[in-house]
Amino acid sequence: MRKTDDIIESLVGDLKPVARHALSRRFLVAILSSLAVSLVLMLTLAGLRVDMAVALTLPVFWIKAAYNFLIAAIALFALYRIARPDGDTGPVFREIAVVVALMGVAAVFQLALSPEAVYRRLILGHSALHCPFLIFAFALPVLVAAFLWMRAAAPADLRQAGFMAGLAAGAAGAFVYSWFCTENGMPFVLIWYSLGILATGLLGLLLGPRLLRW
Amino acid sequence: MTAARTEDDLKTLMLLSLDGDEGAYRRLLHAARPLLVAYYGRRMSGAAQADVEDLVQDTLLSLHARRHTYDRTRPFTAWFFSIARYKLIDHHRGRGGRKAAETQLHDKIEDDFSAESLTARLDLDRLLDALPPAQREMIRQVRLEGRSVAETASSRGQSESAVKVSIHRGLKALAARIRGEA
């Protein structure tokens, strides 16, 4: 009993004021700086897509960027919420499902408007085999930063927190990668990008309970 | 100085603590301690009662280390008991393996977990505190924990009718208090 009183006294002695937005500021710093690392990595290792000038005029380029950006934004908001012990994800999976479904509609439209001869290019492209891995690689800096930030926070459900960090990092990595990738197929994005995002999410799910305990 | 017991009291202390008020923080931690003892005491079986004080200390340390995760716009008790709940699950996970922890998570611990029910529990504790200890204990056992009058009577070495009368009087006093407070 005596010992608990001592602990309370030492905690009181250690009290320092907490800034009003301490948690959100650290979050922004972690995510933005790791995103910058990922971007620099992409620019130095891969470089912007070679047909950038043309790409900027293509709706498919912007749809691809928006797909990843939206998933990243949704997952990051949810991640921020569940870093608090009393936070919940909200309808995050429904929101992501809506984005994926919209991408599905875009993919079906593109296929419907294209001759069958180009289906293979729209679905498999020329980079289907390495696309998910590169997304995964560009996601790693964000994943590391998200985990470091989460370790200083207090998530109550460690698997869920790990999974959400993985999804957010995966989508952020996919967003970065989309500036390099020359694929213009919506089905390609729907399948292979989503696969890269999901793989990063699953890694987070596995690591969460191991690395996020507090 | 009365002990802080309500959500409003505790939240006020927490907000002052976050701004660096040591006196408020000391009061907050001393108020948090019996809440944690009761929380863990109710959820640990007889043999594990010895772990209660460890859990309480661990939770106070976490409250301190993670205090920047408290959202000033939300209820303090929800945040506070979320930490307690996490620590309890973590405790079971440590010994019983993950499977035990998952079942705990979903059935046992969930049952009375919501900000409303916790606040209600605090209010109830505060009301009961106004009664004499023996009466309070009888009401707790029979009306809150669902034990039988016979069981409670024999454990206290009293007759069943004495227990019934005592509970009846206690509840009447409580009702009067609530009317008076309203």
Side-chain angles (χ1 to χ4, degrees):
Chain A
M1 281 300 173
R2 182 70 231 144
K3 212 179 139 228
T4 306
D5 285 335
D6 293 343
I7 288 176
I8 289 180
E9 273 318 302
S10 71
L11 293 182
V12 170
D14 184 53
L15 184 70
K16 286 174 214 66
V18 173
R20 208 154 254 280
H21 299 291
L23 189 68
S24 54
R25 199 170 315 138
R26 284 185 218 177
F27 183 63
L28 279 178
V29 169
I31 297 304
L32 292 180
S33 60
S34 61
L35 207 56
V37 169
S38 191
L39 263 171
V40 170
L41 217 64
M42 186 272 289
L43 289 174
T44 52
L45 293 181
L48 288 174
R49 60 188 282 178
V50 279
D51 57 346
M52 201 61 194
V54 186
L56 290 175
T57 66
L58 299 177
V60 287
F61 172 81
W62 292 106
I63 295 176
K64 188 165 66 168
Y67 177 65
N68 300 305
F69 182 86
L70 282 175
I71 294 180
I74 293 168
L76 283 171
F77 273 113
L79 178 66
Y80 177 69
R81 284 196 301 272
I82 57 175
R84 300 182 194 276
D86 56 337
D88 65 84
T89 54
V92 61
F93 292 110
R94 228 176 306 150
E95 290 165 5
I96 290 178
V98 168
V99 176
V100 175
L102 286 175
M103 196 63 201
V105 172
V108 168
F109 257 93
Q110 195 187 29
L111 287 175
L113 295 175
S114 308
E116 255 179 66
V118 299
Y119 276 18
R120 194 184 155 77
R121 187 163 57 76
L122 291 179
I123 296 170
L124 288 176
H126 52 80
S127 60
L129 287 180
H130 59 255
C131 161
F133 295 101
L134 282 171
I135 286 178
F136 186 72
F138 290 128
L140 281 181
V142 183
L143 188 68
V144 170
F147 263 74
L148 285 176
W149 172 74
M150 285 286 250
R151 280 176 62 84
D157 185 335
L158 305 184
R159 284 146 155 290
Q160 187 189 60
F163 186 51
M164 202 52 68
L167 284 185
F175 175 73
V176 168
Y177 178 70
S178 74
W179 291 80
F180 156 76
C181 158
T182 51
E183 302 288 354
N184 289 326
M186 296 292 100
F188 178 93
V189 175
L190 181 67
I191 297 167
W192 305 106
Y193 271 61
S194 306
L195 204 63
I197 296 171
L198 195 63
T200 320
L202 291 177
L203 178 69
L205 180 86
L206 285 176
L207 293 180
R210 288 166 181 78
L211 300 180
L212 296 178
R213 259 183 93 179
W214 50 281
Chain B
M1 190 170 82
T2 55
R5 268 304 185 69
T6 64
E7 161 64 30
D8 286 347
D9 291 347
L10 293 168
K11 182 167 177 168
T12 305
L13 290 178
M14 181 64 180
L15 293 179
L16 289 170
S17 305
L18 287 174
D19 290 335
D21 183 332
E22 292 188 5
Y25 195 43
R26 186 176 290 111
R27 280 191 66 192
L28 178 70
L29 295 179
H30 280 292
R33 182 181 173 183
L35 294 177
L36 291 172
V37 171
Y39 179 86
Y40 291 125
R42 272 200 299 276
R43 287 166 178 77
M44 305 286 275
S45 53
Q49 284 290 334
D51 295 338
V52 167
E53 201 60 28
D54 280 347
L55 272 166
V56 170
Q57 292 175 358
D58 192 22
T59 308
L60 291 176
L61 289 169
S62 287
L63 180 156
H64 181 76
R66 314 279 155 172
R67 64 190 190 281
H68 65 283
T69 67
Y70 173 63
D71 180 343
R72 290 168 213 235
T73 62
R74 298 180 62 171
F76 171 78
T77 41
W79 178 79
F80 173 69
F81 284 109
S82 296
I83 293 178
R85 179 163 161 274
Y86 172 81
K87 284 292 166 191
L88 184 63
I89 294 167
D90 192 59
H91 177 80
H92 287 305
R93 191 187 287 139
R95 49 200 59 215
R98 190 171 295 167
K99 198 145 248 159
E102 306 254 327
T103 40
Q104 293 277 353
L105 173 66
H106 293 299
D107 353 309
K108 200 172 163 197
I109 301 175
E110 210 70 58
D111 57 4
D112 58 352
F113 187 79
S114 76
E116 289 77 20
S117 68
L118 290 168
T119 314
R121 168 80 70 170
L122 291 181
D123 290 342
L124 190 61
D125 284 347
R126 198 160 43 86
L127 279 170
L128 283 176
D129 274 357
L131 297 176
Q135 214 169 35
R136 184 195 317 157
E137 210 32 55
M138 281 183 250
I139 291 180
R140 213 181 263 292
Q141 288 184 4
V142 176
R143 292 304 176 101
L144 299 180
E145 292 169 12
R147 291 198 218 172
S148 68
V149 172
E151 203 184 334
T152 305
S154 70
S155 77
R156 307 188 62 87
Q158 284 174 308
S159 73
E160 283 187 37
S161 55
V163 170
K164 276 188 202 157
V165 167
S166 185
I167 289 174
H168 176 72
R169 284 196 187 134
L171 290 177
K172 236 173 115 175
L174 278 185
R177 242 183 97 84
I178 292 171
R179 256 178 270 124
E181 279 190 355

